[in-house]
Amino acid sequence: MDKTNETAAVETSADRYCSQSSGTILFSRLAADMVHYIFHIVLELDRIHDYDVPFEVLDELSKAVFRLRCVSALWNHFILSSPRYWCVINVRGSQAAMVVTIERAQAAPLCIYSLRPSQWQAVHFDQIKPMLVARHGQIRTLRLNDKDLYDFGLSLIRPGLPALRTLEVVPRSYPYRDERPPIYDTPQLQHLTSRSWRPPSEAAWISGLKTLVLRELDGFDPDLYHVLGLCASGLKKLSLGLGSAWKSLPRTPETICIPHMEELRLDIGDRRTTMEIMRRIRIPRSAGGKIRASLQLEDGTVVRDLLDFLLPSESGVVKQEPATIEIDSELGLMYAKYTNGNRSLQFGFLYGDLEADYEAIRGIFHAVHVRLGHPAISVNMTCDFRSDAEVLQAFYSSTVQGISIITRSLEDIVDLVATALGRRNSNLSGQSVDDDGGWPFRSLQYFAIDCHHRDVDISKMVSIIEQRQEYMNACGIAYLKRIVLARCCFVGMSFSDAATRLDILGIILSEEEISVHLQLWEDIL
């Protein structure tokens, strides 16, 4: 329907339903183009072809269109009159509804998607498949995060998709099938997302990619390296999930520069792959980056090299920005995450209850702290191992301003508090404390601990804090301002008495939930 006829239809409908619907006020006062513009914003139609728009948004669009149609007969007629509201096709939706949707879309660019359900469901597409194949020139977005629809996706790609800009596919998992799709004609492809396979390096459209997201790959091999080289000049986002399989690359490191990179994410399960990527890939300093690597305690130099890769600096020390450290420690397995500005480094390693291992941990964190320019730090910890205090000592620094801990260990809670707030025994082994008088965390202003329904002698805790505050006040040093205790069973003193004594010192004591829920190693690939 052209613009003139569309406007005439709206005006005629407005006259017809003027006495029946409040919607006529809107349509009788606004031009059709303006109403379309309003609906366009309300329905977020600008987002349907974004490569990273959540599937939930696409699901919600059809529901939102239905709700708008229910407002009045006029609104229903208006929405039915334009193909722009019928561009989103859910392959797992009702076939009858999808057939009608495809017909109403007319010549509009199509977004075809499917998200695999949590439980297996039969899917039928015998009616919509020939309709979509016939409209292959209209398909701009094809996102099938559903391995059951892999063959369906190939049937759409096979004739060639000249308008396709976004492709997301998940191949079948059968080991005896070749999961790499043939090369078809997709000259405008800009965003590619997949799992378990990489695009063939001989595909001409690779050089036009702006987004490349490849997860659950076995490792970093020559073919993948070649693919990155082909698309590097225009690439803006790169996300790779690389397993521990190792295939050696040519010994001479040919650097791949990605000059327009805006966002980088690397999840690496092998130390050699980590080192190889650092040698071969260069990104601009302005790019945001996230790297997760599986390492060993003796890989302290690799951690420093990763920081050099993420945060390049001619002076060797980056511009000082506040940093966050997140620690998830459970039964000798530690995950650590440093966040500095728009870049983060996350690494995991095994450790034992040995002083040598704690010394290595302290060495790693100290080197990272120096490399980041001694920034103001917030530390968030979850610990299930009995070495909470030892792990906490790894972060002794005068720039730590906040500490939040969730502990389920069997250690005495007061001992853990003493590690954070009490005066350090100079005879103890470990890294030296850079706080005057041996008091750790000299800049600490906020301390929170979730005791997991443990008994806490709050009178001893108050005594430790009083000694600390007295020293800090005498030296004119920044001191604690707030302490939060969660899920504690208090003994030795009532909570109200403790709050009164700390209030005299200028400290607010409160009981509330601590929101430290770390899942640092979720979806490594």
Side-chain angles (χ1 to χ4, degrees):
M1 180 179 291
D2 59 32
K3 179 178 177 180
T4 302
N5 292 336
E6 191 176 67
T7 304
V10 172
E11 291 174 350
T12 302
S13 298
D15 293 337
R16 182 179 305 167
Y17 296 106
C18 183
S19 62
Q20 302 176 19
S21 172
S22 60
T24 58
I25 298 177
L26 171 65
F27 291 106
S28 62
R29 301 288 178 86
L30 295 175
D33 282 349
M34 180 59 69
V35 179
H36 280 310
Y37 178 73
I38 294 172
F39 281 10
H40 193 93
I41 295 174
V42 171
L43 296 172
E44 299 185 284
L45 296 181
D46 280 337
R47 300 184 63 192
I48 63 176
H49 292 293
D50 291 349
Y51 72 91
D52 57 351
V53 63
F55 287 98
E56 293 77 12
V57 173
L58 299 178
D59 281 336
E60 182 62 27
L61 177 62
S62 60
K63 300 176 185 177
V65 168
F66 178 78
R67 287 194 292 266
L68 289 178
R69 291 178 61 193
C70 292
V71 171
S72 69
L74 174 61
W75 284 40
N76 180 48
H77 177 82
F78 183 78
I79 291 174
L80 290 176
S81 71
S82 176
R84 70 186 72 189
Y85 307 110
W86 308 98
C87 301
V88 179
I89 314 297
N90 181 359
V91 181
R92 284 193 174 271
S94 164
Q95 274 217 83
M98 290 304 102
V99 167
V100 173
T101 299
I102 294 171
E103 291 173 344
R104 289 173 176 167
Q106 300 180 29
L110 298 178
C111 170
I112 301 169
Y113 79 99
S114 175
L115 181 64
R116 194 181 190 203
S118 57
Q119 295 182 343
W120 184 86
Q121 297 176 4
V123 57
H124 304 284
F125 42 78
D126 52 298
Q127 295 182 49
I128 66 172
K129 180 177 176 180
M131 297 179 69
L132 292 175
V133 170
R135 291 166 171 79
H136 68 277
Q138 295 175 231
I139 300 176
R140 180 178 294 180
T141 300
L142 181 60
R143 297 180 61 194
L144 303 177
N145 192 352
D146 188 339
K147 67 180 182 180
D148 294 336
L149 294 175
Y150 179 69
D151 288 325
F152 171 79
L154 289 186
S155 69
L156 298 183
I157 300 173
R158 190 170 288 113
L161 298 178
L164 187 68
R165 297 182 183 178
T166 299
L167 175 62
E168 181 172 347
V169 292
V170 179
R172 299 174 299 262
S173 58
Y174 307 130
Y176 54 85
R177 301 287 294 274
D178 181 8
E179 301 300 348
R180 183 178 300 188
I183 303 172
Y184 295 119
D185 182 24
T186 55
Q188 295 192 51
L189 188 64
Q190 297 180 357
H191 311 287
L192 175 63
T193 300
S194 186
R195 298 202 305 264
S196 304
W197 70 269
R198 60 181 179 278
S201 57
E202 58 269 28
W205 45 260
I206 287 181
S207 60
L209 289 177
K210 295 182 179 179
T211 303
L212 182 60
V213 179
L214 303 177
R215 313 299 300 176
E216 299 180 14
L217 297 178
D218 290 336
F220 193 59
D221 57 31
D223 287 344
L224 177 57
Y225 180 66
H226 186 52
V227 167
L228 293 180
L230 291 174
C231 64
S233 61
L235 206 59
K236 293 185 177 181
K237 176 179 178 178
L238 175 63
S239 177
L240 299 176
L242 305 172
S244 57
W246 170 254
K247 293 183 180 180
S248 60
L249 300 178
R251 291 187 176 181
T252 302
E254 181 180 348
T255 301
I256 297 177
C257 294
I258 310 179
H260 303 295
M261 177 69 70
E262 297 176 358
E263 181 181 349
L264 172 71
R265 174 176 173 178
L266 300 175
D267 298 272
I268 310 170
D270 181 79
R271 176 181 181 273
R272 293 169 297 181
T273 299
T274 303
M275 298 179 66
E276 200 66 52
I277 288 179
M278 288 189 295
R279 292 172 58 202
R280 296 177 179 268
I281 296 179
R282 293 292 179 269
I283 61 175
R285 295 183 183 181
S286 59
K290 178 180 180 180
I291 295 181
R292 299 195 296 178
S294 180
L295 302 173
Q296 298 178 358
L297 268 181
E298 55 268 27
D299 291 335
T301 55
V302 179
V303 174
R304 290 190 288 271
D305 290 342
L306 281 169
L307 284 172
D308 290 337
F309 173 79
L310 267 178
L311 305 165
S313 173
E314 296 178 358
S315 64
V317 177
V318 301
K319 179 182 178 181
Q320 190 179 92
E321 295 185 45
T324 299
I325 305 173
E326 300 176 34
I327 297 296
D328 194 348
S329 177
E330 180 176 1
L331 298 177
L333 180 61
M334 178 180 289
Y335 304 125
K337 178 180 178 181
Y338 271 85
T339 301
N340 182 268
N342 65 348
R343 300 194 179 190
S344 68
L345 170 62
Q346 184 174 326
F347 50 91
F349 48 80
L350 295 169
Y351 72 101
D353 190 18
L354 303 171
E355 178 54 35
D357 286 359
Y358 294 127
E359 185 66 31
I361 294 172
R362 286 190 287 268
I364 290 174
F365 290 126
H366 178 72
V368 172
H369 193 58
V370 172
R371 180 65 179 80
L372 294 179
H374 301 280
I377 292 177
S378 296
V379 179
N380 300 324
M381 292 176 54
T382 60
C383 293
D384 286 339
F385 203 35
R386 68 181 186 84
S387 55
D388 294 20
E390 292 285 354
V391 173
L392 187 59
Q393 288 177 22
F395 305 104
Y396 272 171
S397 169
S398 60
T399 63
V400 173
Q401 295 185 350
I403 297 176
S404 298
I405 303 174
I406 293 180
T407 179
R408 299 180 183 89
S409 73
L410 300 179
E411 288 183 278
D412 189 300
I413 298 298
V414 174
D415 290 343
L416 185 57
V417 172
T419 301
L421 306 179
R423 187 166 186 171
R424 182 102 186 274
N425 187 337
S426 60
N427 295 325
L428 292 178
S429 59
Q431 188 174 313
S432 60
V433 182
D434 57 353
D435 295 303
D436 293 338
W439 294 91
F441 305 121
R442 182 176 57 188
S443 299
L444 190 66
Q445 299 180 33
Y446 173 84
F447 180 78
I449 184 168
D450 185 322
C451 304
H452 201 62
H453 307 293
R454 300 278 305 286
D455 288 343
V456 177
D457 191 334
I458 195 170
S459 62
K460 293 182 179 179
M461 184 183 299
V462 169
S463 297
I464 294 172
I465 296 170
E466 287 176 334
Q467 294 176 27
R468 176 187 178 90
Q469 292 294 88
E470 181 181 354
Y471 178 84
M472 297 297 174
N473 285 329
C475 297
I477 301 173
Y479 49 81
L480 273 170
K481 296 180 179 178
R482 189 178 179 209
I483 296 177
V484 176
L485 303 176
R487 297 193 295 177
C488 296
C489 301
F490 300 112
V491 297
M493 180 185 295
S494 68
F495 177 83
S496 59
D497 289 344
T500 301
R501 286 177 60 175
L502 293 182
D503 183 62
I504 297 173
L505 301 174
I507 299 175
I508 298 174
L509 177 65
S510 62
E511 284 186 283
E512 58 189 74
E513 182 179 353
I514 299 174
S515 57
V516 180
H517 303 291
L518 309 180
Q519 294 179 326
L520 301 185
W521 220 242
E522 184 181 13
D523 183 27
I524 176 62
L525 298 183

